[in-house]
Amino acid sequence: MNKTTSLKKSLYNYFNQIKSLFPFYSKKEKRFLKDFKESVLDYIEDNPNASIDDIILDFGDAPDIVYNYISSLSPEKLQEKLSLSSYIKRAIIVVMIFIFSTLIAYNIYLYDQNISSFSCPKCSKQNQLIHFND
Amino acid sequence: MSRNRSKFKTGSVEMVILFLLSKEDLYGYQLTNLIKKLSNGKFVLPESTLYPTLYKLLEKEYISDYEQSSTGRRTRTYYHLEELGFQYLNELIEDYTEITKGIHSILSVEKLED
């Protein structure tokens, strides 16, 4: 693996780590990551022999970057972002529970249908006939 | 006391950024480099603090941004100081001068009196 490919891979992991550490990820954080990447590329342009360690030394490690970013937000903005993020998480959980319980209910319904068709084959044949007639 | 005076650290970062933008339009990496260079390495502003501050200033319309193509397929986002930002910069400089005067007078105390 040559040096450029290895740096590209390390940078990819570095940016992904930063992204994964954000407790919220909205349009602003997406823009931040884009601008941050641009700054790193500018740094590489100025220092063509820079390694990933040099980059981390200059820009900070992923937890430091996310910590600095969050510390720079105003308390009002931070509260807004955190409450929005927890609201979205709660909404996702509610939707998941709804989908899951619907699936269970549907499976129970199918199971009951199968049981009733086994216990009363004539009824099931009649049902099938009715369906065909429809 | 204005709100900025109590938010000394945030105010100082905003002041430095706005001051440099009052000289010319700059992009993020240029700003961090200039701050480091002009302060002789004594003031290092990480990108993780710079960008959220720039977004805050953009939101308040103190600055504006525009994209300009650079080397290859890359584009750079330049920041430009607006008139509103210029007024805000003057307020920040005033506040900064007042608070540093206050700190200096604290530091010049030789003995505490009851």
Side-chain angles (χ1 to χ4, degrees), chain A residues 78-93:
Chain A
L78 184 62
Q79 195 179 1
E80 182 194 310
K81 278 185 174 289
L82 286 173
S83 56
L84 183 71
S85 138
S86 67
Y87 173 78
I88 292 169
K89 275 179 198 161
R90 256 182 271 157
I92 289 171
I93 290 169

Side-chain angles (χ1 to χ4, degrees), chain A residues 10-20 33 36-38 40-41:
Chain A
S10 306
L11 281 175
Y12 177 80
N13 290 335
Y14 180 53
F15 296 139
N16 264 353
Q17 207 188 342
I18 297 169
K19 188 179 173 184
S20 68
L33 212 62
F36 184 80
K37 279 179 192 172
E38 282 302 316
V40 173
L41 291 178

Side-chain angles (χ1 to χ4, degrees), chain A residues 44-61:
Chain A
I44 294 170
E45 244 178 48
D46 279 358
N47 308 277
N49 293 320
S51 67
I52 187 69
D53 293 333
D54 297 326
I55 292 165
I56 292 173
L57 197 71
D58 210 84
F59 289 86
D61 58 9

Side-chain angles (χ1 to χ4, degrees), chain B residues 78-97:
Chain B
Y78 280 81
Y79 298 92
H80 170 80
L81 183 71
E82 293 295 335
E83 185 52 41
L84 211 61
F86 193 74
Q87 288 168 24
Y88 182 57
L89 170 64
N90 286 333
E91 278 174 35
L92 286 173
I93 293 174
E94 228 172 85
D95 286 344
Y96 176 80
T97 316

